[in-house]
PDB file of all heavy atoms in Angstrom:
ATOM      1  N   GLN B 211     106.381 136.123 157.529  1.00 91.00           N
ATOM      2  CA  GLN B 211     106.587 134.908 158.305  1.00 91.00           C
ATOM      3  C   GLN B 211     107.406 135.175 159.555  1.00 91.00           C
ATOM      4  O   GLN B 211     107.156 134.598 160.609  1.00 91.00           O
ATOM      5  CB  GLN B 211     107.271 133.842 157.449  1.00 91.00           C
ATOM      6  CG  GLN B 211     108.449 134.366 156.679  1.00 91.00           C
ATOM      7  CD  GLN B 211     109.483 133.299 156.420  1.00 91.00           C
ATOM      8  OE1 GLN B 211     109.884 132.576 157.316  1.00 91.00           O
ATOM      9  NE2 GLN B 211     109.896 133.183 155.178  1.00 91.00           N
ATOM     10  N   TYR B 239     107.185 125.771 162.052  1.00 94.00           N
ATOM     11  CA  TYR B 239     108.449 125.838 161.340  1.00 94.00           C
ATOM     12  C   TYR B 239     109.081 124.455 161.180  1.00 94.00           C
ATOM     13  O   TYR B 239     109.546 124.101 160.108  1.00 94.00           O
ATOM     14  CB  TYR B 239     109.431 126.765 162.069  1.00 94.00           C
ATOM     15  CG  TYR B 239     110.636 127.079 161.239  1.00 94.00           C
ATOM     16  CD1 TYR B 239     110.601 128.091 160.276  1.00 94.00           C
ATOM     17  CD2 TYR B 239     111.812 126.335 161.385  1.00 94.00           C
ATOM     18  CE1 TYR B 239     111.696 128.359 159.497  1.00 94.00           C
ATOM     19  CE2 TYR B 239     112.918 126.604 160.596  1.00 94.00           C
ATOM     20  CZ  TYR B 239     112.855 127.618 159.656  1.00 94.00           C
ATOM     21  OH  TYR B 239     113.940 127.879 158.874  1.00 94.00           O
ATOM     22  N   ALA B 248     105.668 124.289 154.275  1.00 93.00           N
ATOM     23  CA  ALA B 248     107.112 124.131 154.259  1.00 93.00           C
ATOM     24  C   ALA B 248     107.773 125.155 153.353  1.00 93.00           C
ATOM     25  O   ALA B 248     108.837 125.695 153.660  1.00 93.00           O
ATOM     26  CB  ALA B 248     107.465 122.718 153.789  1.00 93.00           C
ATOM     27  N   ASN B 249     107.110 125.473 152.258  1.00 92.00           N
ATOM     28  CA  ASN B 249     107.666 126.390 151.277  1.00 92.00           C
ATOM     29  C   ASN B 249     107.475 127.838 151.690  1.00 92.00           C
ATOM     30  O   ASN B 249     108.326 128.691 151.457  1.00 92.00           O
ATOM     31  CB  ASN B 249     106.998 126.133 149.921  1.00 92.00           C
ATOM     32  CG  ASN B 249     107.700 126.859 148.803  1.00 92.00           C
ATOM     33  OD1 ASN B 249     108.910 127.045 148.850  1.00 92.00           O
ATOM     34  ND2 ASN B 249     106.937 127.289 147.814  1.00 92.00           N
ATOM     35  N   ILE B 251     107.099 129.203 154.752  1.00 92.00           N
ATOM     36  CA  ILE B 251     107.873 129.651 155.910  1.00 92.00           C
ATOM     37  C   ILE B 251     109.293 129.100 155.781  1.00 92.00           C
ATOM     38  O   ILE B 251     109.485 127.901 155.643  1.00 92.00           O
ATOM     39  CB  ILE B 251     107.222 129.172 157.223  1.00 92.00           C
ATOM     40  CG1 ILE B 251     105.785 129.694 157.293  1.00 92.00           C
ATOM     41  CG2 ILE B 251     108.027 129.636 158.425  1.00 92.00           C
ATOM     42  CD1 ILE B 251     105.025 129.213 158.497  1.00 92.00           C
ATOM     43  N   GLY B 252     110.249 129.966 155.831  1.00 91.00           N
ATOM     44  CA  GLY B 252     111.633 129.549 155.707  1.00 91.00           C
ATOM     45  C   GLY B 252     112.017 129.343 154.248  1.00 91.00           C
ATOM     46  O   GLY B 252     111.218 129.545 153.340  1.00 91.00           O
ATOM     47  N   VAL B 253     113.280 128.943 154.037  1.00 92.00           N
ATOM     48  CA  VAL B 253     113.748 128.658 152.682  1.00 92.00           C
ATOM     49  C   VAL B 253     113.926 127.149 152.582  1.00 92.00           C
ATOM     50  O   VAL B 253     114.713 126.558 153.310  1.00 92.00           O
ATOM     51  CB  VAL B 253     115.073 129.384 152.392  1.00 92.00           C
ATOM     52  CG1 VAL B 253     115.596 128.996 151.017  1.00 92.00           C
ATOM     53  CG2 VAL B 253     114.869 130.884 152.500  1.00 92.00           C
ATOM     54  N   THR B 254     113.123 126.552 151.707  1.00 94.00           N
ATOM     55  CA  THR B 254     113.066 125.093 151.641  1.00 94.00           C
ATOM     56  C   THR B 254     113.386 124.618 150.231  1.00 94.00           C
ATOM     57  O   THR B 254     112.931 125.204 149.251  1.00 94.00           O
ATOM     58  CB  THR B 254     111.655 124.607 152.040  1.00 94.00           C
ATOM     59  OG1 THR B 254     111.307 125.197 153.293  1.00 94.00           O
ATOM     60  CG2 THR B 254     111.597 123.095 152.165  1.00 94.00           C
ATOM     61  N   ASN B 255     114.192 123.565 150.154  1.00 93.00           N
ATOM     62  CA  ASN B 255     114.460 122.926 148.861  1.00 93.00           C
ATOM     63  C   ASN B 255     113.564 121.716 148.705  1.00 93.00           C
ATOM     64  O   ASN B 255     113.355 120.970 149.666  1.00 93.00           O
ATOM     65  CB  ASN B 255     115.922 122.465 148.804  1.00 93.00           C
ATOM     66  CG  ASN B 255     116.881 123.639 148.942  1.00 93.00           C
ATOM     67  OD1 ASN B 255     116.981 124.470 148.063  1.00 93.00           O
ATOM     68  ND2 ASN B 255     117.554 123.701 150.091  1.00 93.00           N
ATOM     69  N   ILE B 300     113.761 119.937 152.336  1.00 94.00           N
ATOM     70  CA  ILE B 300     114.896 120.110 153.250  1.00 94.00           C
ATOM     71  C   ILE B 300     115.225 121.600 153.362  1.00 94.00           C
ATOM     72  O   ILE B 300     115.350 122.290 152.364  1.00 94.00           O
ATOM     73  CB  ILE B 300     116.109 119.247 152.798  1.00 94.00           C
ATOM     74  CG1 ILE B 300     117.318 119.442 153.706  1.00 94.00           C
ATOM     75  CG2 ILE B 300     116.494 119.509 151.360  1.00 94.00           C
ATOM     76  CD1 ILE B 300     117.258 118.601 154.956  1.00 94.00           C
ATOM     77  N   ARG B 301     115.285 122.085 154.598  1.00 93.00           N
ATOM     78  CA  ARG B 301     115.548 123.506 154.845  1.00 93.00           C
ATOM     79  C   ARG B 301     116.986 123.864 154.465  1.00 93.00           C
ATOM     80  O   ARG B 301     117.907 123.065 154.679  1.00 93.00           O
ATOM     81  CB  ARG B 301     115.369 123.813 156.333  1.00 93.00           C
ATOM     82  CG  ARG B 301     113.977 123.571 156.852  1.00 93.00           C
ATOM     83  CD  ARG B 301     113.165 124.810 156.769  1.00 93.00           C
ATOM     84  NE  ARG B 301     111.895 124.647 157.456  1.00 93.00           N
ATOM     85  CZ  ARG B 301     110.779 125.220 157.055  1.00 93.00           C
ATOM     86  NH1 ARG B 301     110.766 125.962 155.966  1.00 93.00           N
ATOM     87  NH2 ARG B 301     109.667 125.054 157.730  1.00 93.00           N
ATOM     88  N   ALA B 302     117.134 125.084 153.988  1.00 92.00           N
ATOM     89  CA  ALA B 302     118.457 125.537 153.552  1.00 92.00           C
ATOM     90  C   ALA B 302     119.465 125.522 154.690  1.00 92.00           C
ATOM     91  O   ALA B 302     120.651 125.303 154.462  1.00 92.00           O
ATOM     92  CB  ALA B 302     118.345 126.939 152.961  1.00 92.00           C
ATOM     93  N   GLU B 303     118.984 125.747 155.941  1.00 91.00           N
ATOM     94  CA  GLU B 303     119.944 125.810 157.049  1.00 91.00           C
ATOM     95  C   GLU B 303     120.279 124.437 157.616  1.00 91.00           C
ATOM     96  O   GLU B 303     121.146 124.318 158.477  1.00 91.00           O
ATOM     97  CB  GLU B 303     119.433 126.728 158.167  1.00 91.00           C
ATOM     98  CG  GLU B 303     118.290 126.161 159.014  1.00 91.00           C
ATOM     99  CD  GLU B 303     116.933 126.463 158.432  1.00 91.00           C
ATOM    100  OE1 GLU B 303     116.851 126.774 157.223  1.00 91.00           O
ATOM    101  OE2 GLU B 303     115.946 126.387 159.189  1.00 91.00           O
ATOM    102  N   ARG B 334     124.816 135.689 157.084  1.00 85.00           N
ATOM    103  CA  ARG B 334     125.030 134.367 156.499  1.00 85.00           C
ATOM    104  C   ARG B 334     125.338 134.497 155.011  1.00 85.00           C
ATOM    105  O   ARG B 334     125.038 135.511 154.382  1.00 85.00           O
ATOM    106  CB  ARG B 334     123.805 133.475 156.699  1.00 85.00           C
ATOM    107  CG  ARG B 334     122.629 133.923 155.863  1.00 85.00           C
ATOM    108  CD  ARG B 334     121.355 133.221 156.263  1.00 85.00           C
ATOM    109  NE  ARG B 334     120.242 133.746 155.487  1.00 85.00           N
ATOM    110  CZ  ARG B 334     118.975 133.653 155.874  1.00 85.00           C
ATOM    111  NH1 ARG B 334     118.674 133.077 157.006  1.00 85.00           N
ATOM    112  NH2 ARG B 334     118.017 134.127 155.125  1.00 85.00           N
ATOM    113  N   VAL B 336     124.535 132.684 151.370  1.00 91.00           N
ATOM    114  CA  VAL B 336     123.624 131.746 150.712  1.00 91.00           C
ATOM    115  C   VAL B 336     124.328 131.223 149.462  1.00 91.00           C
ATOM    116  O   VAL B 336     124.803 132.004 148.643  1.00 91.00           O
ATOM    117  CB  VAL B 336     122.293 132.424 150.316  1.00 91.00           C
ATOM    118  CG1 VAL B 336     121.342 131.405 149.693  1.00 91.00           C
ATOM    119  CG2 VAL B 336     121.651 133.090 151.522  1.00 91.00           C
ATOM    120  N   ARG B 350     119.454 125.401 147.565  1.00 94.00           N
ATOM    121  CA  ARG B 350     119.959 126.569 148.295  1.00 94.00           C
ATOM    122  C   ARG B 350     120.418 126.163 149.692  1.00 94.00           C
ATOM    123  O   ARG B 350     119.733 125.404 150.375  1.00 94.00           O
ATOM    124  CB  ARG B 350     118.897 127.647 148.375  1.00 94.00           C
ATOM    125  CG  ARG B 350     118.841 128.420 147.050  1.00 94.00           C
ATOM    126  CD  ARG B 350     118.119 129.710 147.203  1.00 94.00           C
ATOM    127  NE  ARG B 350     116.681 129.465 147.272  1.00 94.00           N
ATOM    128  CZ  ARG B 350     115.818 130.440 147.523  1.00 94.00           C
ATOM    129  NH1 ARG B 350     116.244 131.668 147.767  1.00 94.00           N
ATOM    130  NH2 ARG B 350     114.529 130.175 147.543  1.00 94.00           N
ATOM    131  N   VAL B 351     121.579 126.648 150.076  1.00 93.00           N
ATOM    132  CA  VAL B 351     122.198 126.271 151.335  1.00 93.00           C
ATOM    133  C   VAL B 351     122.603 127.541 152.079  1.00 93.00           C
ATOM    134  O   VAL B 351     123.197 128.445 151.490  1.00 93.00           O
ATOM    135  CB  VAL B 351     123.467 125.420 151.082  1.00 93.00           C
ATOM    136  CG1 VAL B 351     124.055 124.961 152.405  1.00 93.00           C
ATOM    137  CG2 VAL B 351     123.154 124.239 150.177  1.00 93.00           C
ATOM    138  N   PHE B 352     122.236 127.611 153.397  1.00 91.00           N
ATOM    139  CA  PHE B 352     122.744 128.722 154.208  1.00 91.00           C
ATOM    140  C   PHE B 352     124.026 128.255 154.873  1.00 91.00           C
ATOM    141  O   PHE B 352     124.070 127.178 155.457  1.00 91.00           O
ATOM    142  CB  PHE B 352     121.762 129.077 155.336  1.00 91.00           C
ATOM    143  CG  PHE B 352     120.467 129.641 154.859  1.00 91.00           C
ATOM    144  CD1 PHE B 352     119.361 129.617 155.702  1.00 91.00           C
ATOM    145  CD2 PHE B 352     120.350 130.218 153.608  1.00 91.00           C
ATOM    146  CE1 PHE B 352     118.151 130.145 155.287  1.00 91.00           C
ATOM    147  CE2 PHE B 352     119.138 130.745 153.187  1.00 91.00           C
ATOM    148  CZ  PHE B 352     118.032 130.703 154.031  1.00 91.00           C
TER     149      PHE B 352
END
Side-chain angles (χ1 to χ4, degrees):
Chain B
Q211 47 151 311
Y239 191 83
N249 191 32
I251 302 176
V253 176
T254 308
N255 299 291
I300 178 83
R301 298 268 189 214
E303 73 272 19
R334 70 191 177 202
V336 183
R350 280 197 284 174
V351 184
F352 293 160

